[in-house]
Amino acid sequence: MRFLSARRRHRAARPLLLVLALFLMGVVYAGFAPAGKSSADTAMTQQVKEGQQLFAVGCASCHGLQGEGGSQGPSLVGVGAAAVDFQVSTGRMPMAHPGAQAPRKPNSYTPEETAKLAAFVAQLGEGPPIPRPEQYSPSGLSEEEIAKGGELFRTNCSACHNYAGLGGALPNGKYAPTLEGVDNKHIYEALRTGPQQMPVFSTEALPDEDVRAIIGYLNELHEQPNHGGMNFGGLGPVAEGFWAWIAGIGGLVAFAVWIASKGARAK
């Protein structure tokens, strides 16, 4: 009888030992597992929640509570955080009055609130993220790279923004805004997200190195001093020749007509 009792205790001990071993492994894992990812996920979740609250107040009336779009605004699913950062940081959104185009104006959100809105929209669908400084900073570019940036700008951008980046008119009451004084990050975001009627330039079409070269060209171009005179919107010799024809030759013709009329009166 004692032998049977000891054998039963031995059989019951095995499951207990297994449970005890699993418990000890869980304690050891919890003690040594990194806690940074968990805290980061919690902070990100909190940022998304606060961004959703801001979105519901300032954006949902046009874009829907979940960014699905509506009669007044397009869907934001898949536009990415970069599009939100560009539109909100430049004051284009929220749009006070619907129109042909959202103009740049003072930003109504703080950088922290803009980041929260971007985090909320980013989780609606995959899209371009907010760029890092090394992706758009032109520091360290050589003169050859800046010259290449000028060629790329004239090929891809000057048809709308003109060769000096000072903007121009487009059909249906729209326009290409001036790029003078625009933050480098916003130029990068505009190329990657294609705001309004602007096309999207993916990393396959324009790698980050080319975008940096374009930004470097614009910075150098707009830092050139104006030694006087009128630049005619940066339109180049066409505008200058037109002005010379109207003001110069037109003035000479008017003067000749005036002289002729004086001579006719003298007779």
Side-chain angles (χ1 to χ4, degrees), residues 50-62 64-65 94 109 117 120:
E50 294 178 4
Q52 185 176 20
Q53 294 172 357
L54 291 169
F55 188 89
V57 174
C59 315
S61 60
C62 293
L65 283 172
Y109 288 94
L117 284 169
F120 169 69

Side-chain angles (χ1 to χ4, degrees), residues 104-258:
R104 185 171 62 175
K105 61 183 185 298
N107 184 9
S108 56
Y109 288 94
T110 65
E112 292 76 15
E113 291 172 333
T114 302
K116 292 173 183 178
L117 284 169
F120 169 69
V121 173
Q123 57 86 39
L124 298 177
E126 186 178 357
I130 297 175
R132 302 182 304 277
E134 60 267 21
Q135 292 179 275
Y136 57 80
S137 174
S139 60
L141 291 175
S142 64
E143 290 299 322
E144 290 77 11
E145 290 173 318
I146 292 175
K148 178 185 176 183
E151 295 177 3
L152 290 169
F153 181 85
R154 288 186 290 273
T155 301
N156 298 283
C157 315
S158 61
C160 296
H161 293 281
N162 87 30
Y163 84 98
L166 297 179
L170 297 174
N172 302 319
K174 298 180 180 181
Y175 60 91
T178 178
L179 301 178
E180 189 172 16
V182 177
D183 189 90
N184 294 336
K185 181 174 75 167
H186 296 155
I187 295 176
Y188 181 98
E189 291 172 335
L191 284 166
R192 293 295 184 232
T193 62
Q196 300 179 105
Q197 68 276 2
M198 182 173 171
V200 175
F201 292 90
S202 65
T203 53
E204 289 76 18
L206 278 180
D208 284 351
E209 294 77 13
D210 290 345
V211 174
R212 289 180 62 239
I214 291 173
I215 293 173
Y217 165 74
L218 290 172
N219 287 354
E220 188 169 287
L221 179 66
H222 294 151
E223 288 171 0
Q224 297 296 323
N226 184 0
H227 297 291
M230 301 174 64
N231 62 8
F232 301 102
L235 296 178
V238 174
E240 294 166 0
F242 180 76
W243 177 256
W245 177 267
I246 295 298
I249 297 179
L252 291 175
V253 170
F255 183 71
V257 171
W258 180 76

